[in-house]
Amino acid sequence: NLDRPVQFLKGVGPKRAEALVALGITTARDLLYHTPRRYDDASTVQPIGTLQVGMDATVVGRVRSKGIIPTRKGLRIFQAVLQDETGMITVAWPGQPWLDRKIREGDTLLVTGPVRFFHGRQLQPREHTLLARGGDEAGREGTIFVTYPASEEVPQWVLRGVFEKNLDALLGWADEDEWMGAGELETLGLPKLSRALSLLHRPAAIADARVGRLRLAYDELFFLQVVQAQA
């Protein structure tokens, strides 16, 4: 099952499969082991209505409006107004007008950066993640926001959608790769491989992801030693 070409998974197809090659994903196994690069705990996400100038904040909101603002010095600023249930704030990306083609009204964004005063409160992101496109609420599942290595051809929201459609099946097939018995796992204090991958993709807490990474790190080190011993 894990050897099947990724194009035959739900929500992929030939065109998207071709774009996934740039991320090193050609099979179902590659997708399963395409682990997140970042986790954000929803408990640390601040309500937009509570933000004050001078704070360094992480917020999640829906794009209410957007556009490009030119300046007298020729700099073009992409701005979006984010809204959650507590209020709205302007988010500005100086010198990044191309984001106007990537971010749409209705998208759900996770944004991190300082809050400054410029014609009102304004957040200037160090990093942002498109959690969901349009009215899709997939980005708000659980208490941990998961961010994957993505690309322009396969943006974050697309990857999240592919995982949402296929992760249950992928985790069910993960036992194909299990090479340790229950006794060995208990002795080493490591989770079963399928459990480790579940903790990486669907952690209930940041600590869960660390446990999952520990199992994969052990496997990588073990097989590296095997290869070196055979050299």
Side-chain angles (χ1 to χ4, degrees):
N1 284 313
L2 288 176
D3 289 329
R4 68 177 60 187
V6 71
Q7 77 174 77
F8 298 118
L9 297 180
K10 296 178 182 178
V12 182
K15 185 175 180 180
R16 187 161 288 169
E18 186 176 340
L20 285 167
V21 171
L23 293 173
I25 301 173
T26 60
T27 66
R29 178 178 286 103
D30 295 333
L31 182 64
L32 179 60
Y33 287 90
H34 189 73
T35 54
R37 65 175 179 82
R38 172 181 167 183
Y39 300 92
D40 289 281
D41 190 336
S43 66
T44 66
V45 172
Q46 292 136 301
I48 289 176
T50 67
L51 300 185
Q52 301 292 328
V53 174
M55 294 176 62
D56 196 84
T58 296
V59 303
V60 173
R62 180 161 290 183
V63 178
R64 183 182 177 92
S65 62
K66 69 183 183 75
I68 298 173
I69 310 298
T71 68
R72 294 179 179 178
K73 296 183 179 179
L75 180 68
R76 302 174 73 204
I77 302 172
F78 174 68
Q79 286 190 354
V81 175
L82 291 191
Q83 182 178 26
D84 66 8
E85 61 276 8
T86 68
M88 294 184 289
I89 191 169
T90 300
V91 185
W93 288 265
Q96 300 183 58
W98 54 270
L99 284 173
D100 191 44
R101 301 191 303 272
K102 303 296 182 182
I103 295 175
R104 303 176 185 175
E105 291 185 14
D107 287 350
T108 301
L109 300 182
L110 182 148
V111 182
T112 300
V115 180
R116 298 172 180 168
F117 184 86
F118 185 76
H119 300 298
R121 295 180 309 160
Q122 185 180 92
L123 195 151
Q124 295 191 352
R126 288 191 303 276
E127 186 170 2
H128 74 276
T129 300
L130 176 55
L131 294 176
R133 172 114 286 170
D136 183 6
E137 290 293 333
R140 298 305 302 269
E141 292 182 356
T143 59
I144 303 297
F145 296 104
V146 177
T147 301
Y148 292 96
S151 67
E152 185 173 352
E153 292 75 20
V154 188
Q156 190 65 217
W157 67 272
V158 169
L159 266 177
R160 294 170 66 88
V162 170
F163 273 107
E164 183 183 5
K165 292 181 177 70
N166 295 283
L167 188 55
D168 287 336
L170 293 172
L171 291 173
W173 300 335
D175 287 338
E176 297 175 14
D177 283 358
E178 184 58 78
W179 59 278
M180 281 195 285
E184 293 174 282
L185 292 171
E186 184 176 359
T187 299
L188 294 167
L190 294 173
K192 188 177 179 180
L193 184 59
S194 58
R195 175 59 177 163
L197 289 163
S198 178
L199 292 173
L200 281 169
H201 290 290
R202 288 177 177 162
I206 300 295
D208 290 344
R210 298 192 188 104
V211 173
R213 288 193 184 280
L214 182 63
R215 168 63 204 268
L216 264 60
Y218 180 89
D219 287 6
E220 183 177 355
L221 179 60
F222 178 84
F223 288 114
L224 178 61
Q225 290 177 330
V226 170
V227 171
Q228 290 176 339
Q230 293 175 339

